[in-house]
């Protein structure tokens, strides 16, 4: 063993994760692990770690591109990053997010853009936000063979309508509507549904009511899987973290310290050494 996974020829790759396999994981009671990925090295590392789904989320806009919200993110940007993730040829399922205004105009527009993410981006599935209003789009995409992940609750593309990033469906009527919309998305053919920023009890109720898996982010422990934005869980993002984020590393600190040590070495003419020179 070299210790370097890139050089370890004995490593047996996992079987490719498919959308039916994700549905089967719910049936088996096997929790589904999802992280966002926007580039080749992160996709490689997350795949080696045994992550089930890599989501090229439109969170790309806020954590990588420096936008204040996900609203300015374009199909071209998601496509560019989906290609980078796909080039890692991960066993994990690759899901590309459909950005704001890439599926709202018409079913035809949605088909064209989802088709690009699959055909040119190499994604295995797409994700889009909303319930009843996106049902015709979901139906058509599924009909032509594009697997769709739904997204309900605190859907960030509706931040202007919500008046901020607020927990959704606290009241009874909203809870009933969300449950109804989750069932509708399932009946339209979604293979899974992200539930974001809703009371844990509602996450439990929706999870119990569906045969397809729920993927929670701030939706409680009962969801069939969990998703976190990788920059949040790795401690790479400087903005305010929501309550549901658990940090598994402090990479911003690690990276800053490495840059400082490099800076000091260059300034003190300690880098490069003879061994590092030709
Ligand atoms: O864009 C994204 O990363 C997402 C997840 C947070 C679910 O939609």
């Amino acid at each position: 063993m070299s210790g370097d996974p890139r050089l370890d020829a004995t490593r047996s790759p996992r079987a490719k994760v498919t959308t039916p396999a994700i549905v089967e994981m719910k049936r088996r009671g096997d929790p589904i692990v999802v992280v966002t990925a926007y580039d080749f090295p992160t996709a490689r590392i997350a795949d080696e770690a045994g992550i089930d789904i890599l989501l090229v989320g439109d969170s790309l806009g806020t954590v990588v591109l420096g936008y204040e919200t996900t609203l300015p993110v374009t199909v071209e940007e998601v496509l560019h990053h989906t290609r980078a993730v796909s080039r890692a040829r991960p066993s994990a399922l690759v899901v590309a997010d459909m950005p704001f205004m890439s599926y709202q105009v018409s079913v035809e527009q949605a088909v064209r853009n989802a088709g690009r993410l699959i055909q040119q981006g190499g994604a295995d599935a797409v994700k889009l936000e909303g319930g009843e209003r996106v049902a015709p789009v979901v139906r058509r995409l599924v009909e032509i063979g594009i697997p769709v992940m739904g997204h309900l609750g605190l859907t960030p593309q509706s931040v202007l309508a919500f008046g901020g990033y607020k927990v959704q469906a606290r009241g009874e009527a909203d809870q009933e509507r969300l449950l109804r919309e989750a069932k509708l998305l399932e009946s339209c053919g979604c293979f899974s549904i992200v539930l974001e920023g809703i009371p844990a009890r509602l996450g439990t109720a929706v999870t119990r009511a569906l045969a397809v898996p729920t993927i929670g982010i701030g939706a409680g422990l009962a969801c069939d899987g969990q998703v976190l934005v990788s920059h949040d869980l790795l401690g790479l993002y400087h903005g305010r973290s929501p309550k549901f984020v658990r940090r598994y590393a402090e990479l911003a600190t690690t990276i800053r310290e490495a840059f400082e040590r490099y800076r000091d070495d260059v300034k003190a003419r300690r880098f490069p050494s003879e061994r590092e020179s030709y």
Side-chain angles (χ1 to χ4, degrees):
M1 288 271 282
S2 65
D4 181 343
R6 288 172 305 178
L7 304 177
D8 183 1
T10 62
R11 235 178 103 242
S12 58
R14 287 186 291 158
K16 177 71 188 173
V17 178
T18 61
T19 53
I22 293 296
V23 178
E24 174 61 18
M25 286 177 78
K26 172 166 185 151
R27 216 190 49 75
R28 285 202 314 266
D30 186 3
I32 299 158
V33 189
V34 188
V35 296
T36 63
Y38 318 101
D39 59 51
F40 180 92
T42 309
R44 269 272 162 97
I45 295 165
D47 196 50
E48 285 166 5
I51 299 297
D52 299 306
I53 300 179
L54 300 177
L55 170 64
V56 188
D58 62 355
S59 50
L60 163 72
T62 49
V63 300
V64 174
L65 301 178
Y67 300 146
E68 288 203 355
T69 69
T70 59
L71 299 181
V73 175
T74 64
V75 174
E76 294 306 325
E77 287 166 338
V78 174
L79 190 56
H80 177 78
H81 288 268
T82 303
R83 282 195 184 120
V85 168
S86 305
R87 268 182 223 121
R89 291 193 291 112
S91 298
L93 187 84
V94 176
V95 179
D97 227 349
M98 297 199 66
F100 182 57
M101 292 315 294
S102 72
Y103 58 96
Q104 285 88 348
V105 176
S106 66
V107 171
E108 288 70 26
Q109 180 218 25
V111 167
R112 208 166 296 120
N113 286 323
R116 289 189 73 197
L117 294 172
I118 301 286
Q119 206 169 33
Q120 299 169 23
D124 301 307
V126 298
K127 175 170 86 58
L128 44 79
E129 299 182 4
E132 205 167 340
R133 68 191 152 88
V134 297
V137 169
V138 174
R139 245 185 238 115
R140 183 66 188 136
L141 293 178
V142 171
E143 199 174 83
I144 63 170
I146 297 181
V148 180
M149 176 182 267
H151 189 162
L152 292 171
L154 202 187
T155 44
Q157 291 174 16
S158 300
V159 62
L160 300 179
F162 294 154
Y165 296 100
K166 300 172 182 163
V167 173
Q168 296 297 302
R170 285 200 188 272
E172 207 173 309
D174 287 340
Q175 299 198 354
E176 280 169 14
R177 191 173 55 130
L178 192 143
L179 181 57
R180 216 174 34 246
E181 292 198 311
K183 289 178 181 170
L184 175 64
L185 288 179
E186 176 175 63
S187 74
C188 290
C190 280
F191 73 93
S192 63
I193 299 174
V194 170
L195 299 177
E196 177 164 357
I198 59 169
R201 277 183 53 201
L202 180 58
T204 305
V206 175
T207 301
R208 286 192 183 142
L210 301 184
V212 296
T214 57
I215 309 293
I217 174 160
L221 187 59
C223 292
D224 299 300
Q226 298 292 333
V227 54
L228 279 178
V229 169
S230 54
H231 286 57
D232 287 339
L233 87 88
L234 295 174
L236 263 175
Y237 183 56
H238 282 95
R240 218 182 103 246
S241 281
K243 173 177 166 165
F244 57 73
V245 168
R246 186 180 294 179
R247 283 193 182 210
Y248 288 86
E250 293 296 340
L251 291 196
T253 306
T254 305
I255 292 170
R256 191 182 316 105
E257 285 171 1
F259 284 149
E260 285 168 357
R261 288 196 347 260
Y262 168 62
R263 180 206 60 202
D264 291 349
D265 283 351
V266 172
K267 293 279 187 199
R269 299 197 180 280
R270 285 192 299 263
F271 177 83
S273 66
E274 251 180 56
R275 274 184 50 223
E276 289 155 338
S277 304
Y278 297 101

